[in-house]
Amino acid sequence: MPVTTIADRPVHVDDEGFMTEYQEWDEDLARTLAGTIGIELTDAHLEVIRFLRSDFEQNGVTPTLRRVSTVGNIPTKTLFDLFPKKPARKMAYVAGLPKPAGCI
Amino acid sequence: MTLTETAPLVVPDFGDDAEDRKMAFVCSKGTLDMAYPALIMASGALEQGVETHIFFTFWGMDMINKATTGHLKFTPVGNTATHMPQALTPLPGMTAMATHRMRKQLEELDIPDIPAFLTHLSDMGCHLWACKMSVDMFNLDEDDMIDELDGVLNVSDFVELIEGAQTMFI
């Protein structure tokens, strides 16, 4: 796994650039990650990211879009507005988690 | 002091600059097992930012007819992939049992039922179309069909709409 520098600190990432170490992430880092894909984090973004992080911590897998809407109570349309085009992967990237593995 | 050299920053390619892709699915079947493939693939396409259209025709109308959308069935009759003795499959209650079992398996995987799945796809921006000829043939009007439907199209309008799309007939 490559180690790269994000926000002046060493961070473990996979070949695509997704973070691999849960503990290395914090919200400052999230702002930098979001910035690299043209997203400026707002409270609405952070609410989504915090749900992803806590759900991952409990279940060990990145939640799918449907799970974010049904369990996290954040409407799917909102997710597409906040993280345009590929919300599932963009959310995971900013949250420092692996890409979601589930199909739906 | 040790200096550790780190790799250059790699940002995942989310395809924001890629050319717009389109996918279209034609759903012509009204059984539970044949309803899911298009919906699952459409969901994957939408997650990838692909413009997605589903055209419901013939028996596929059962997927969007309010009276039937929540009651699709799976039958082992004529389906050798169930690996049941084929002579047993037409026995009374067999289709109900097979349907119940399949629904349970899907539920265990947290896969939504057909009505909830169609709502989810619509929320993701999926376009849902009913076939004009099938609507006429089954004497349906718009009130008979799910609210998420974008409209009723004839084939020629649908073909025009999906120009350039990767299309799958199910």
Side-chain angles (χ1 to χ4, degrees), chain A residues 2-6 10 15-18 36-37 65-66 69 76-77 80 84-90 93 103-104, chain B residues 6-16 18 20 40 43-44 46-49 110-112 117 120 122-124:
Chain A
V3 177
T4 188
T5 304
I6 305 173
D15 293 337
E16 280 185 271
F18 286 81
T36 64
I37 57 168
L65 285 185
R66 180 159 182 274
S69 71
T76 305
K77 282 177 189 163
F80 273 85
K85 285 189 101 171
K86 298 191 186 182
R89 291 188 177 189
K90 286 183 175 174
Y93 174 67
C103 278
I104 151 114
Chain B
T6 65
L9 177 65
V10 177
V11 178
D13 179 12
F14 291 110
D16 285 332
D20 289 341
I40 292 170
S43 153
L46 291 155
E47 261 190 36
Q48 285 299 305
D110 202 24
I111 306 288
F117 211 143
H120 176 61
S122 173
D123 287 346
M124 292 172 90

Side-chain angles (χ1 to χ4, degrees), chain A residues 52-66:
Chain A
L52 256 79
R53 296 279 303 175
S54 70
D55 197 65
F56 182 91
E57 198 171 17
Q58 285 168 37
N59 301 298
V61 290
T62 306
T64 58
L65 285 185
R66 180 159 182 274

Side-chain angles (χ1 to χ4, degrees), chain A residues 8-25:
Chain A
D8 298 324
R9 62 180 114 150
V11 174
H12 290 79
V13 293
D14 65 14
D15 293 337
E16 280 185 271
F18 286 81
M19 287 178 62
T20 56
E21 299 299 322
Y22 184 85
Q23 301 301 341
E24 287 179 352
W25 182 96

Side-chain angles (χ1 to χ4, degrees), chain A residues 24-58:
Chain A
E24 287 179 352
W25 182 96
D26 63 24
E27 289 188 6
D28 280 340
L29 202 58
R31 281 174 218 287
T32 307
L33 290 171
T36 64
I37 57 168
I39 292 173
E40 192 180 329
L41 283 195
T42 62
D43 288 347
H45 291 94
L46 283 170
E47 188 193 343
V48 177
I49 298 301
R50 284 174 194 144
F51 171 75
L52 256 79
R53 296 279 303 175
S54 70
D55 197 65
F56 182 91
E57 198 171 17
Q58 285 168 37

Side-chain angles (χ1 to χ4, degrees), chain B residues 11-90:
Chain B
V11 178
D13 179 12
F14 291 110
D16 285 332
D17 305 323
E19 258 180 65
D20 289 341
R21 278 179 67 187
K22 264 192 202 183
M23 283 186 90
F25 298 89
V26 178
C27 288
S28 70
K29 300 282 201 294
T31 56
L32 188 63
D33 53 322
M34 292 305 283
Y36 274 103
L39 304 190
I40 292 170
M41 285 189 276
S43 153
L46 291 155
E47 261 190 36
Q48 285 299 305
V50 176
E51 180 183 327
T52 306
H53 297 262
I54 307 181
F55 186 73
F56 298 91
T57 187
F58 235 86
W59 306 124
M61 298 299 290
D62 270 13
M63 293 170 67
I64 51 165
N65 185 335
K66 279 179 190 165
T68 49
T69 179
H71 309 285
L72 302 187
K73 295 183 180 68
F74 165 60
T75 183
V77 176
N79 185 352
T80 55
T82 61
H83 303 287
M84 287 172 69
Q86 282 297 296
L88 297 180
T89 58

